[in-house]
Amino acid sequence: MEHQDVEALSMYGIVDCDNCYVSCERVFRPDLEGKPVVVLSNNDGCVVARSNEAKALGIKAGTPYYQLAELFPDEKIVVFSSNYELYGELTGRVMSLIAKDAPAFFRYSIDECFVYFSGFSGSYYKQWGEALHQKIRQGVGMPVSIGIAPTKTLAKVASHFSKKHSGYRHCCVIDTPEKRRKALSLFPIGDVWGIGRRYASRLEGLGVKTALDFADKSETWVNATFNNIVILRIWKELNGTDAVPNEQLCDKKSICTSRSFNGMVDDIESLRTHVANYAARCAEKLRRQNTVASIVSVFLHTNPFREDLLQYGNMQETRLLTPTNSTIQIVQAAHEVLEKIYRPGYRYKKAGVIVMGIQPTAPLQTDLFDINAESIQRMRRLDAVIDHINRTQGTETVVLGAQQYQQKNGQGKAEVFANAIKHDFRSKNSTTRWSEIIKLV
């Protein structure tokens, strides 16, 4: 087969925030530039984000926090707890700047988005990318890397080079057959977007070490070897053919919110509170993307590493008569499922909520035996007000009573508190909470 020429009238770009969580923390801490910085997972468990300086020290993603001092005793490593409220707000600012400059734009993840161009000349893309980086750096204070190419997969490859090599000035453009082949020859097959560990291992066993090795195979070989539409699309994209549908990037078939507990939980009331919080976050995510869900699933399990304890795990789901994104309805459904799967006598380490059967908010087909249209509109108005307050006054300013944790104080009385997550090193939310706004003395 004769491969398609990489030059095309249309081009894709991907804009990726560099070391996103660390960059967000550095926005209000410029003194941390050039220093090793790490961000921890929920409950301050392990390293999930690293600055370039931390990577250079040899800190690996997934390193448990308690091992950092032991592994790097002579290094002054700055540690932060995850602060998703801050990260979401700052990356939202980045996305708003991109949306103003991009001809077409769709967000892919918290720190990445694709842009689409059509009909521009070759020099335009490089100038656009460098100017956008400068605008985001000035407007938000975060660095981004930009890759531009005829397909989304090639744009991902270009983004990798713009991130790794300063000579690209934060923007790499693949716009000729020569550039495409050169880039793919330097790109390991395991790093190609969409090629997981299993397929990478299989390809390497077949002598395919680089992205170019794979791109140079024939379509007949790809089909005979894998018989997989996803792998075929990747092959086409590496050869310059736009083959990954936008819907594949944007549509989520399910949303999951889960977390390991800070310690272990054995009583149903504490589990109900955790599950209520997870269900509420799923509902918020549904509303944010203008979708509803028809299935609510809950899972929980004990700690598999504690062989000295009794082990148990379960997962069940319930189907809603009318698909919804109402916090109240999804929390109620999650509690109903929890009641079915909870077993006393066990010490639980993790639980989670998954919403499935996701579809657009409109048109919505209601069930004859479910709540009426007036009740649906009333709950939508309530959720809209709560979302507005939480967006302007800070996350979880207003929550359901079921979302509030209780613990005993020194006098044996129950006290309500907002968050049972361990975050000893959390930074302030200076852009979303009046109580944490920066004060100049």
Side-chain angles (χ1 to χ4, degrees), residues 160-176:
H160 169 86
F161 287 108
S162 70
K163 193 185 297 285
K164 296 295 182 182
H165 303 287
S166 59
Y168 286 109
R169 296 171 58 86
H170 305 282
C171 179
C172 175
V173 180
I174 298 176
D175 56 357
T176 69

Side-chain angles (χ1 to χ4, degrees), residues 69-120:
E70 176 185 337
L71 296 173
F72 308 94
D74 300 323
E75 302 294 341
K76 294 183 179 180
I77 302 168
V78 182
V79 176
F80 288 97
S81 303
S82 294
N83 187 345
Y84 300 115
E85 183 175 337
L86 174 69
Y87 310 152
E89 203 278 332
L90 289 180
T91 55
R93 294 187 182 200
V94 171
M95 297 302 161
S96 66
L97 290 176
I98 298 170
K100 291 177 181 177
D101 267 25
F105 155 95
F106 50 99
R107 192 167 184 171
Y108 175 53
S109 67
I110 186 173
D111 63 341
E112 292 178 291
C113 74
F114 282 98
V115 297
Y116 177 75
F117 310 88
S118 181
F120 295 99

